[in-house]
Amino acid sequence: MQPKIWLSSPHMGGNEMKYVQEAYDTNWVAPLGPNVNGFEEDLQKYTGAFHASALSAGTAAIHLSLVLLGVKAGDEVIASSFTFSATVNPITYVGATPILIDSEKDTWNMCPIQLEKAIQDRIAKGKKPKAILCVYLYGMPGKIEELMAVANKYEIPLIEDAAEALGSKYKGKSMGTFGKFGILSFNGNKIITTSGGGALISDDQELIEKSRFLATQARDNAPHYQHSHVGYNYRMSNIVAGIGRGQMEVLGERVAQRRANFEFYKELFADVNGVTLLEEPNEDYYSNYWLTSILVDPSKTNGITREEIRLELEKENIECRPLWKPMHMQPVFADCPFYGDGTSEKLFEDGLCLPSGSNMTDEERDRIKTAILNVFNKK
Ligand SMILES: *Cc1c(COP(=O)(O)O)cnc(C)c1O
């Protein structure tokens, strides 16, 4: 058996251990320290956000953003349906109800038309949603101008789940810096990793300071332990932040490598009927192409389905994954109100994520190419 080709695996830059060693040597083995501060500065510089707070996970960042916006039990929060479950789970942590919105076909992200329909309908039913959580799947920016216009019109704060979109931009501005909050993730499979970690970014200094307060058990200023808020233990460790500082040195390269993967697949499928890629709709959009994703239309491929491709590649020890299954189709969220027209259901049926690691070798690309062409040449 040939060695496994992963969908997306960690890719160290080389200087991570230097920062980790520094933390160890200076005894900053704690959920605070110079690496945490340094990593936050790196994130601010890179994204252009004025403030960043490094946390234990992207999921923790989403949870805190909802707490900071005052979302409470019985409230409603609007979210993209076509996403990973970590976008929507924190809505239930605060006791609120997720209101799920379908995708549009250009970027596969939240449809601004369905969003407005949903807001109007929820208001008519007696509850104005407390927040909007939009996601940028596979690194592709969403239609942020339209989404912001709806959010502003109804005066509902927008949170951008940019967990998959660090390095992606719209009109030159980093994703995660348009709404009230941006969420980043440094989980093991993301474009850069700290093994596990996340961040909350915002232009609102007060809210970011409050996020640090809440993330460190909400300790009031007193010599004894004094608490007037419910707190969380969500701060990033100084060891983990050391990995993050090393990774930030190579983030630019990582984006270039992922974008080169996309170009490789684009060329590979150029002459294949019935396979289309998720692509930047126009030059306003800049994707980090975290995962290159395709749609397979069996009516144009001689009946070849995405599942056939996935299974063939699996036989060759090459990992692929169907597109994320929409939240309104998940048993756990089946009762949540959903506004849509079948777009994300169709994406789930026909879509496939291809191996997209920034550490993929030419040899691995050759194996992928051979395996994919085999599927199409058989018919
Ligand atoms: C990975 C991911 C998250 C969660 O981030 P963690 O750091 O793993 O908690 C949230 N939303 C999306 C879209 C993700 O891909």
Side-chain angles (χ1 to χ4, degrees):
M1 184 64 104
Q2 301 248 51
K4 178 133 181 165
I5 300 177
W6 298 95
L7 199 62
S8 176
S9 69
H11 185 186
M12 292 298 104
N15 280 338
E16 290 83 2
M17 278 308 287
K18 184 189 86 179
Y19 294 107
V20 171
Q21 189 69 46
E22 250 169 49
Y24 189 89
D25 291 343
T26 54
N27 208 29
W28 278 107
V29 186
L32 78 168
N35 281 339
V36 175
N37 300 341
F39 186 44
E40 288 177 345
E41 276 166 33
D42 290 346
L43 290 172
Q44 288 161 21
K45 244 183 248 158
Y46 188 88
T47 61
F50 289 122
H51 306 283
S53 124
L55 301 167
S56 56
T59 309
I62 297 173
H63 185 190
L64 278 186
S65 72
L66 295 170
V67 171
L68 287 163
L69 291 175
V71 181
K72 294 199 170 60
D75 287 342
E76 294 186 346
V77 173
I78 288 183
S80 301
S81 184
F82 189 50
T83 187
F84 179 58
S85 65
T87 308
V88 177
N89 280 332
I91 298 172
T92 69
Y93 301 171
V94 295
T97 303
I99 309 293
L100 302 169
I101 309 292
D102 211 346
S103 305
E104 36 80 10
K105 292 185 178 71
D106 295 334
T107 74
W108 300 0
N109 292 310
M110 185 184 279
C111 173
I113 297 163
Q114 297 290 348
L115 170 65
E116 182 157 24
K117 238 196 235 174
I119 294 172
Q120 288 173 348
D121 190 54
R122 300 323 293 175
I123 291 174
K125 288 188 161 76
K127 255 184 207 173
K128 181 172 157 181
K130 285 288 162 67
I132 300 164
L133 236 169
C134 73
V135 73
Y136 309 128
L137 230 50
Y138 314 122
M140 183 60 68
K143 296 199 166 170
I144 187 61
E145 278 183 344
E146 285 97 322
L147 295 173
M148 279 305 295
V150 176
N152 289 337
K153 180 173 170 188
Y154 294 91
E155 298 182 318
I156 303 173
L158 184 105
I159 306 163
E160 301 171 76
D161 179 351
E164 300 178 3
L166 179 58
S168 301
K169 292 170 186 172
Y170 179 79
K171 290 189 176 169
K173 188 169 155 69
S174 289
M175 305 323 289
T177 63
F178 290 85
K180 193 77 192 158
F181 289 111
I183 304 302
L184 303 174
S185 167
F186 314 106
N187 203 356
N189 59 351
K190 298 285 160 45
I191 191 155
I192 59 164
T193 181
T194 60
S195 71
L200 194 57
I201 60 174
S202 177
D203 286 351
D204 191 322
Q205 182 174 0
E206 204 176 309
L207 285 176
I208 291 295
E209 274 169 11
K210 196 161 176 209
S211 80
R212 294 197 184 106
F213 164 78
L214 292 174
T216 48
Q217 309 286 20
R219 287 147 61 170
D220 293 341
N221 199 4
H224 57 276
Y225 284 133
Q226 174 78 21
H227 303 275
S228 43
H229 289 270
V230 171
Y232 306 87
N233 185 6
Y234 278 174
R235 204 66 167 122
M236 180 178 274
S237 126
N238 193 56
I239 298 285
V240 154
I243 305 175
R245 289 180 86 181
Q247 288 273 277
M248 285 305 285
E249 293 180 4
V250 293
L251 175 53
E253 271 172 61
R254 298 295 176 264
V255 173
Q257 286 154 333
R258 300 257 176 180
R259 288 179 63 85
N261 287 336
F262 169 81
E263 292 301 331
F264 158 73
Y265 286 115
K266 191 169 163 158
E267 200 181 309
L268 174 57
F269 289 111
D271 300 325
V272 178
N273 271 340
V275 176
T276 50
L277 291 89
L278 171 63
E279 275 191 74
E280 294 157 351
N282 58 51
E283 65 264 25
D284 290 340
Y285 293 79
Y286 184 85
S287 174
N288 68 9
Y289 284 115
W290 173 58
L291 295 184
T292 296
S293 305
I294 55 169
L295 289 179
V296 182
D297 179 352
S299 73
K300 294 182 186 153
T301 57
N302 276 330
I304 295 170
T305 60
R306 74 113 156 100
E307 197 51 13
E308 225 171 312
I309 300 172
R310 192 182 72 78
L311 291 172
E312 271 306 311
L313 292 178
E314 195 174 62
K315 268 193 226 155
E316 300 296 326
N317 215 16
I318 300 167
E319 184 187 29
C320 294
R321 189 173 292 146
L323 298 188
W324 296 184
K325 184 175 180 177
M327 291 305 113
H328 71 277
M329 297 172 77
Q330 300 283 359
V332 64
F333 296 121
D335 294 336
C336 296
F338 168 68
Y339 296 83
D341 61 6
T343 299
S344 60
E345 286 163 34
K346 188 77 183 130
L347 291 171
F348 175 59
E349 190 177 309
D350 291 340
L352 190 67
C353 296
L354 300 168
S356 303
S358 50
N359 46 7
M360 237 172 10
T361 62
D362 285 342
E363 195 189 357
E364 288 175 322
R365 269 191 275 270
D366 283 343
R367 271 178 61 199
I368 293 167
K369 184 173 175 174
T370 306
I372 287 176
L373 292 180
N374 270 344
V375 183
F376 285 91
N377 292 338
K378 260 196 230 159
K379 295 257 164 154

